[in-house]
Amino acid sequence: MVKTRTCPACNSKKYKLFIPDSGTWKCENCGYQGSIVVEDGNLEKQVKEAKKMAKLQRKLIRGS
């Protein structure tokens, strides 16, 4: 299985190592910078589902 790196904020695959010494990555799509990178397709799917659930939960709390 080939591991692909994706941005945890926008799921873009346009991601590069920004500061090699600290392991900081930068997304070229949304500008996210951080050390967290999603490297597994299954994990990527779980992150998307978690974001959907969080969005739904916020919507239910607001009562919209």
Side-chain angles (χ1 to χ4, degrees):
M1 181 173 123
V2 176
K3 290 185 180 180
T4 58
R5 291 186 177 99
T6 58
C7 174
C10 70
N11 294 318
S12 171
K13 292 181 178 31
K14 294 182 180 182
Y15 220 76
K16 65 180 180 179
L17 194 57
F18 186 60
I19 305 173
D21 293 340
S22 66
T24 301
W25 294 83
K26 182 175 181 180
C27 176
E28 295 176 2
N29 188 41
C30 72
Y32 168 83
Q33 291 182 19
S35 58
I36 298 174
V37 179
V38 179
E39 290 187 343
D40 184 354
N42 293 332
L43 183 57
E44 180 181 346
K45 183 178 177 183
Q46 291 175 359
V47 168
K48 284 181 183 180
E49 289 175 8
K51 285 182 181 182
K52 285 181 186 178
M53 291 301 292
K55 185 176 180 180
L56 178 61
Q57 191 174 29
R58 286 190 305 267
K59 189 174 183 179
L60 288 172
I61 290 172
R62 284 192 311 242
S64 299

